[in-house]
């Protein structure tokens, strides 16, 4: 991928990695609400790829493929965040669920059951499950949400993290792993199938014996439990 003068051939790299933009966009789209357009993700990812071409330093040690992949995904997620497509009412409801789950689990000393949470919120079970569906904000990886709030260094910046930053990152992952271990078994299995095995919602539903919409509800509830535990650890 170098010219006769020994310089990086940007045109060749761009052509080679454009298909990767579409692959990443497709992989991310299945985790998002249907209103998110694939072309918008591809456009954002292409901007990330172009940025990678400008910033890549062949002497830094990382391969261009790894560097570009980080920039592409980071650009797509940044695009989703800047749109702020969640209505305020949905954000309020998500916070209400988090607060309710926290109160109940503090009182019960165990993961609260759905019906208990619904009763605490003054809802019947179907109303609560619909609220979970509404607050299932895009199925972005909880760790990505966590580090975004805490200011993780920009992905693909090319500079290695400082020892302190690496320690913080390690501690955050350990906290998240510990929080996941406290989840009910079905929610723990759902997260493993989704994030580790990378099954789609339909495949997870088949494993759990539930519908895709039910998978979304269970995911939303699991993320709410994780948020409350991680916030409590920081308090």
């Amino acid at each position: 991928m170098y010219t006769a003068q020994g310089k990086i051939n940007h045109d060749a790299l761009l052509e080679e990695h454009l298909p990767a933009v579409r692959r990443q966009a497709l992989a991310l789209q299945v985790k998002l609400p249907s209103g998110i357009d694939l072309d918008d993700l591809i456009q954002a990812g292409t901007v990330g790829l172009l940025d990678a071409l400008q910033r890549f330093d062949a002497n830094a040690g990382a391969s261009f493929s790894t560097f570009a992949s980080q920039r592409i995904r980071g650009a797509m997620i940044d695009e989703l965040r800047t749109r702020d497509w969640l209505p305020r009412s949905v954000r309020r409801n998500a916070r209400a669920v988090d607060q309710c789950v926290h109160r109940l689990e503090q009182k019960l000393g165990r993961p609260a059951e759905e019906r208990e949470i619904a009763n605490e919120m003054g809802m019947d079970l179907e109303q609560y499950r619909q609220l979970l569906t509404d607050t299932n904000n895009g199925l972005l990886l909880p760790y990505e949400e966590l580090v975004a709030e805490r200011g993780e260094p920009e992905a693909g910046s090319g500079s290695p993290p400082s020892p302190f930053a690496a320690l913080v990152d390690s501690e955050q992952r350990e906290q998240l792993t510990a929080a996941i271990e406290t989840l009910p078994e079905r929610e723990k299995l759902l997260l493993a199938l989704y994030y580790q095995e990378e099954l789609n919602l339909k495949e997870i539903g088949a494993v759990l014996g539930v519908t895709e919409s039910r998978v979304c509800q269970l995911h939303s509830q699991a993320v709410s439990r994780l948020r409350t535990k991680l916030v409590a650890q920081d308090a």
Side-chain angles (χ1 to χ4, degrees):
M1 290 301 164
Y2 290 83
T3 65
Q5 291 74 35
K7 296 181 179 180
I8 294 175
N9 188 330
H10 285 186
D11 290 342
L13 280 175
L14 179 62
E15 184 176 353
E16 179 184 350
H17 288 86
L18 275 175
V21 174
R22 181 174 179 83
R23 286 196 301 271
Q24 288 208 44
L26 287 168
L28 186 57
Q29 189 191 34
V30 300
K31 302 180 181 182
L32 298 170
S34 58
I36 303 300
D37 189 72
L38 177 64
D39 289 340
D40 290 342
L41 291 176
I42 291 174
Q43 182 177 0
T46 301
V47 172
L49 175 57
L50 292 171
D51 187 49
L53 287 169
Q54 296 298 319
R55 293 173 179 263
F56 180 64
D57 180 1
N59 297 318
S63 70
F64 180 77
S65 294
T66 300
F67 182 77
S69 178
Q70 293 173 334
R71 303 295 301 186
I72 291 167
R73 181 171 177 80
M76 291 178 185
I77 292 175
D78 285 347
E79 171 68 14
L80 293 170
R81 289 188 182 128
T82 56
R83 288 186 178 205
D84 197 24
W85 42 267
L86 276 181
R88 290 183 181 178
S89 60
V90 173
R91 294 187 185 278
R92 283 197 302 269
N93 287 338
R95 287 195 296 271
V97 173
D98 290 354
Q99 292 164 2
C100 181
V101 168
H102 179 68
R103 286 196 309 270
L104 273 177
E105 297 193 348
Q106 287 285 97
K107 181 170 65 176
L108 299 172
R110 59 168 173 80
E113 298 177 2
E114 277 186 304
R115 195 173 296 278
E116 293 171 329
I117 300 171
N119 289 339
E120 181 76 9
M121 298 190 71
M123 301 177 174
D124 62 35
L125 190 57
E126 287 307 310
Q127 288 175 319
Y128 172 64
R129 287 180 173 176
Q130 182 58 52
L131 187 150
L132 287 177
T133 298
D134 294 341
T135 58
N136 186 52
N137 56 345
L139 298 182
L140 290 179
L141 183 67
Y143 178 73
E144 290 173 346
E145 294 175 351
L146 170 69
V147 296
E149 293 175 0
R150 298 187 183 184
E152 184 184 63
E154 184 181 11
S157 62
S159 57
S162 67
F164 175 75
L167 175 63
V168 170
D169 180 72
S170 175
E171 289 177 346
Q172 289 173 353
R173 290 181 183 273
E174 289 176 3
Q175 289 173 0
L176 180 58
T177 300
I180 290 173
E181 285 301 313
T182 68
L183 294 176
E185 286 303 317
R186 185 157 71 158
E187 293 175 21
K188 191 189 304 183
L189 174 60
L190 186 158
L191 294 183
L193 293 173
Y194 192 73
Y195 295 116
Q196 296 177 13
E197 302 300 326
E198 297 187 346
L199 300 187
N200 61 36
L201 301 183
K202 184 176 182 180
E203 291 167 336
I204 295 172
V207 173
L208 299 182
V210 298
T211 64
E212 291 181 50
S213 61
R214 183 70 179 129
V215 172
C216 289
Q217 293 167 358
L218 290 169
H219 178 277
S220 183
Q221 186 167 263
V223 171
S224 181
R225 293 189 203 274
L226 291 176
R227 279 197 299 256
T228 62
K229 293 181 185 301
L230 293 170
V231 169
Q233 289 174 0
D234 284 346

